[in-house]
Amino acid sequence: MGRVILHCDANSYYASVECLYTPAIRSLPVAVAGSPEARHGIILAKNEPAKRMGVKTGEAIWQARQKCPELVCVPPDFPLYVRFSEKMRRIYEQYSGHVEAFGLDESWVDLSGPGMTISDGERTAQEIRERVREELGITVSIGVADNKVFAKLGSDMKKPDAVTALPPQSYAQRVWPLPVGDLLYVGPSTRRRLSQLGVTTIGALANCDAELLRRHFGKNGDMLRAFARGEDRSPVRSVDHRSALKSVGNSATPPHDLTCMDDARCLLTLLAESVAARLRQNGLRARRVSLSVRSASLSVSSRQVTLPRMSNLSGEITGAALALFQEGFAQGFPYRSMGICCSQLSADDAPVQLDFMGDEERRLRQEALERSIDDLRRRFGHQAVRRGSALLDPGYARINPVEEHTIHPVSYFAG
């Protein structure tokens, strides 16, 4: 029995949701962006009119406005984007019990079943596309194929508000001439390495010598070749955007550059508290802590450490981040911004090994205390309970690392 897989991708997702709620800006070039006043004025997303003017994700607002002076910038509203993501998922789940999130705006849907064909899948995709537009007011592009990789490729081929079917018999004609960088999991670094081997199209990768790829990429060479040949058989797992979390992180650019250890300690404490709270909110503990630091010249460096035990305690995450900073960055002031990310996650209800010294019991009491603080902040706002160290500098006292710097869930295959 052949498989029928859809990949549904919401078009210009953040910007589309914002335009839905503000009709006056729908026909204008719109970007969802950070705050220049808070020194994180970066384009996070843009709508189609802004794309046509050359606005790119990740560039500074001032750069975008050089290309598009009439650009309308709106702040991000991640809780709203999560809510729309859940609404889209509920529509997809009416067609299949196998829906796998790929970030907030993308999902795979497995329609496979007796007698189901790619043509049937294309008709279903058209129905889903129309329902999302009529019921939610935003648009999706959908790819239809017999595997996840080419379904994702199909959703990228025609935008916005379109369906592209790629039956197996069309792969050589329609897929293989495309640039190899269009293939899922072929990032800039892999694309450059493939180019050095003379592999610049998906077809060239599909027909490349397997041993050559294995020598240069190890087992990933076999995987990439199989993907290019349409031989991906990975299942569509029932994964929503919360259980798809592979890491939880937060970063912030303070009102002024970090110039001393007191500045660094204050910002790291604020970030670690927000990350620990999000771990607890999602029922998770982490084993690895990563620290990223952006210098005044905007170069980025990072370090990571493995914790001795799974943790969602702000004190332990802060301690790990501070140790990383002191080890690798304490001599390099000033710094513009920092970020903390926790990974190697597991459920917080997993069995815990107790010890004779009662240390684990102490940690459980500390977690209960931090959950009580979480409850107070949910009821009265994050700033209802603050660290004394944050009050030493008025600029840091105004930072709200939860409500102002919330980072949306990481895509399942990110990194």
Side-chain angles (χ1 to χ4, degrees):
M1 179 182 69
R3 299 201 303 167
V4 179
I5 309 295
L6 310 184
H7 181 268
C8 306
D9 184 1
N11 305 131
S12 306
Y13 181 54
Y14 294 175
S16 294
V17 173
E18 294 294 343
C19 289
L20 180 67
Y21 276 73
T22 312
I25 65 174
R26 289 179 186 174
S27 60
L28 304 176
V30 175
V32 178
S35 166
E37 292 77 15
R39 305 201 315 152
H40 38 80
I42 301 296
I43 302 296
L44 304 177
K46 67 281 182 192
N47 66 354
E48 287 297 326
K51 289 179 184 178
R52 289 194 291 270
M53 297 295 291
V55 176
K56 297 184 182 299
T57 299
E59 67 183 352
I61 293 176
W62 65 266
Q63 293 174 310
R65 285 201 164 124
Q66 283 184 333
K67 305 172 186 176
C68 182
E70 64 274 27
L71 183 68
V72 177
C73 292
V74 297
D77 186 346
F78 290 113
L80 180 63
Y81 310 149
V82 169
R83 190 159 73 245
F84 266 77
S85 178
E86 292 169 344
K87 290 177 182 290
M88 286 191 292
R89 184 182 178 87
R90 284 197 288 271
I91 291 177
Y92 303 152
E93 287 177 339
Q94 295 178 30
Y95 296 87
S96 172
H98 298 280
V99 177
E100 180 178 340
F102 191 46
L104 288 181
D105 56 339
E106 303 180 45
S107 292
W108 281 289
V109 182
D110 190 348
L111 300 179
S112 304
M116 176 65 69
T117 66
I118 295 293
S119 296
D120 296 330
E122 185 176 8
R123 285 190 289 272
T124 301
Q126 293 285 7
E127 182 177 323
I128 291 174
R129 179 185 64 83
E130 293 169 2
R131 284 192 60 188
V132 171
R133 186 181 60 215
E134 295 300 321
E135 296 177 24
L136 303 185
I138 60 177
T139 64
V140 293
S141 291
I142 304 178
V144 187
D146 69 349
N147 65 85
K148 291 164 66 176
V149 172
F150 281 4
K152 162 69 173 168
L153 185 67
S155 69
D156 291 334
M157 290 176 69
K158 189 176 182 182
K159 293 177 179 289
D161 198 19
V163 172
T164 301
L166 295 173
Q169 60 270 24
S170 73
Y171 289 168
Q173 178 184 4
R174 299 181 62 190
V175 174
W176 285 5
L178 297 174
V180 70
D182 288 356
L183 194 67
L184 188 62
Y185 311 121
V186 178
S189 176
T190 301
R191 178 179 52 78
R192 285 192 298 269
R193 293 172 63 191
L194 287 170
S195 179
Q196 292 170 358
L197 300 177
V199 176
T200 59
T201 66
I202 296 176
L205 178 59
N207 294 290
C208 190
D209 179 67
E211 184 56 36
L212 175 66
L213 291 171
R214 204 173 292 122
R215 282 202 306 269
H216 287 270
F217 297 95
K219 64 181 181 181
N220 287 336
D222 292 329
M223 179 191 73
L224 292 171
R225 185 173 182 269
F227 287 171
R229 297 166 68 90
E231 296 171 356
D232 165 41
R233 288 296 174 263
S234 57
V236 175
R237 290 166 289 189
S238 185
V239 178
D240 64 23
H241 67 263
R242 293 193 183 277
S243 56
L245 284 170
K246 302 300 284 186
S247 63
V248 171
N250 209 345
S251 62
T253 301
H256 58 76
D257 283 350
L258 307 163
T259 59
C260 62
M261 274 304 303
D262 285 342
D263 287 346
R265 185 177 294 106
C266 183
L267 184 57
L268 288 175
T269 300
L270 290 170
L271 291 173
E273 278 201 330
S274 72
V275 171
R278 289 180 57 215
L279 286 169
R280 294 189 294 270
Q281 178 184 349
N282 287 281
L284 298 168
R285 293 193 179 103
R287 190 62 182 267
R288 177 171 292 171
V289 175
S290 303
L291 171 68
S292 63
V293 174
R294 186 184 298 272
S295 71
S297 62
L298 303 185
S299 63
V300 179
S301 302
S302 62
R303 285 176 176 258
Q304 61 184 24
V305 67
T306 299
L307 298 174
R309 287 171 289 192
M310 305 295 294
S311 179
N312 55 19
L313 299 177
S314 61
E316 293 179 351
I317 296 172
T318 301
L322 275 171
L324 287 171
F325 185 86
Q326 290 172 326
E327 178 185 338
F329 305 105
Q331 306 304 316
F333 290 103
Y335 293 107
R336 181 177 174 85
S337 64
M338 293 194 296
I340 293 176
C341 181
C342 288
S343 56
Q344 293 188 2
L345 308 180
S346 68
D348 62 7
D349 57 359
V352 174
Q353 179 66 53
L354 300 179
D355 61 338
F356 286 110
M357 303 302 294
D359 188 50
E360 193 60 42
E361 184 178 352
R362 178 194 62 77
R363 295 177 74 244
L364 291 173
R365 289 200 301 271
Q366 181 64 31
E367 183 176 331
L369 173 61
E370 295 196 13
R371 289 186 184 278
S372 297
I373 294 174
D374 294 341
D375 290 338
L376 287 173
R377 285 172 164 167
R378 273 193 293 271
R379 291 180 62 190
F380 303 109
H382 184 81
Q383 302 290 48
V385 181
R386 287 186 282 180
R387 293 273 181 177
S389 59
L391 302 178
L392 298 176
D393 186 317
Y396 288 96
R398 290 192 297 269
I399 295 177
N400 186 332
V402 171
E403 294 167 14
E404 296 176 5
H405 297 278
T406 300
I407 307 301
H408 60 82
V410 178
S411 297
Y412 186 76
F413 290 107

